[in-house]
Amino acid sequence: MAKGVKPRVKVPKTAAAGDTVTVKTLISHKMESGQRHGDDGALIPRSIINRFTADFNGQNIIDVALETSISTNPYFEFEAVVPEAGEFQFTWYDDDGSVYEAKKKIAIA
Amino acid sequence: FAGLPAVPAFASLAEDAISEFTGGTAPGAGDLSISAPEIAENGNSVPIEFDAPGAVAVAIFADGNPTPKVGAFTFGPLSGSRFASTRIRLATTQNVIAIAQMEDGSFQRAEANVKVTIGGCGG
């Protein structure tokens, strides 16, 4: 597992049923592109998060395939429909097989 | 050259990657829009966003990067819009290209030129 990986997610705590809400996610990760050379001149091997998914109550919102041109600490902002109260689930998949998860509950106001 | 696949003359890496995404279909213009800063001082983190009404998926390409594929966004049933924003690396001044796959199977293309002061793939 890559070191110091920490997901952060921002979603509203409440929404009206059927509302569209803005979701912002950030995960701290080096996203080593495989293009850089280390101090010894050797190529540093690629090590990135290659997939990100966001779901709500088991239904998909967005599914992103990440390539090496995504910046360090991948950031995504997008919009989701909230049909009922429930839980967002966010999942990041690392090249090394690690899976990072974050969950956020939202209530209907 | 018998072992090499046939590639059209002048085909760039980015155009190859785009054809791979579209399956060779030529994209048209439409409501797809992509926005990026005109000038990016630091190519390590360039904010971009796109809006693609009616799209099922959007792929982003950077035609001046060593690997032009940036990412592909597929929208699910609970997506609230066909908008997304992220931050990308740009090695040099170049075009950022968005290709949207529409519900009817057609494709749209939009691009934005970004002038990069310090490249983001260095080392």
Side-chain angles (χ1 to χ4, degrees):
Chain A
M1 180 187 274
K3 274 184 271 178
V5 176
K6 186 182 176 205
R8 295 183 186 85
V9 176
K10 197 172 176 185
V11 294
K13 288 191 173 63
T14 61
D19 256 8
T20 296
V21 301
T22 299
V23 179
K24 294 178 181 179
T25 71
L26 181 88
I27 186 164
S28 49
H29 192 284
K30 271 178 24 182
M31 297 291 281
E32 190 60 62
S33 68
Q35 305 280 347
R36 299 195 314 141
H37 297 267
D39 292 336
D40 57 359
L43 205 61
I44 305 170
R46 164 183 147 149
S47 173
I48 68 167
I49 289 173
N50 56 48
R51 185 174 175 221
F52 165 70
T53 60
D55 298 276
F56 182 77
N57 287 354
Q59 279 204 285
N60 184 250
I61 302 163
I62 197 166
D63 189 333
V64 186
L66 289 74
E67 305 288 344
T68 50
S69 295
I70 296 285
S71 293
T72 303
N73 304 335
Y75 166 84
F76 293 109
E77 178 181 339
F78 51 92
E79 292 175 324
V81 175
V82 180
E84 71 257 332
E87 192 172 53
F88 287 98
Q89 169 141 13
F90 305 96
T91 315
W92 292 261
Y93 300 86
D94 196 306
D95 270 352
D96 69 8
S98 305
V99 175
Y100 316 109
E101 290 179 318
K103 290 178 181 179
K104 286 277 178 184
K105 283 194 165 65
I106 189 164
I108 295 301
Chain B
F1 300 113
L4 292 174
V7 285
F10 307 115
S12 74
L13 284 174
E15 297 303 324
D16 288 351
I18 290 169
S19 307
E20 193 189 311
F21 179 68
T22 62
T25 310
D31 293 333
L32 171 66
S33 67
I34 178 162
S35 76
E38 217 168 287
I39 297 174
E41 286 190 6
N42 183 351
N44 272 314
S45 182
V46 182
I48 62 153
E49 61 180 60
F50 64 79
D51 193 13
V56 292
V58 175
I60 307 292
F61 303 89
D63 68 2
N65 276 3
T67 51
K69 277 199 225 173
V70 174
F73 299 72
T74 306
F75 296 98
L78 287 186
S79 112
S81 65
R82 300 300 185 254
F83 157 89
S85 168
T86 186
R87 296 173 191 152
I88 68 171
R89 293 176 174 137
L90 295 176
T92 178
T93 296
Q94 60 183 289
N95 295 311
V96 179
I97 303 161
I99 305 286
Q101 183 179 9
M102 311 309 289
E103 277 154 9
D104 64 3
S106 68
F107 291 88
Q108 294 182 358
R109 175 180 176 134
E111 56 187 70
N113 185 265
V114 182
K115 293 183 171 60
V116 176
T117 315
I118 301 170
C121 290

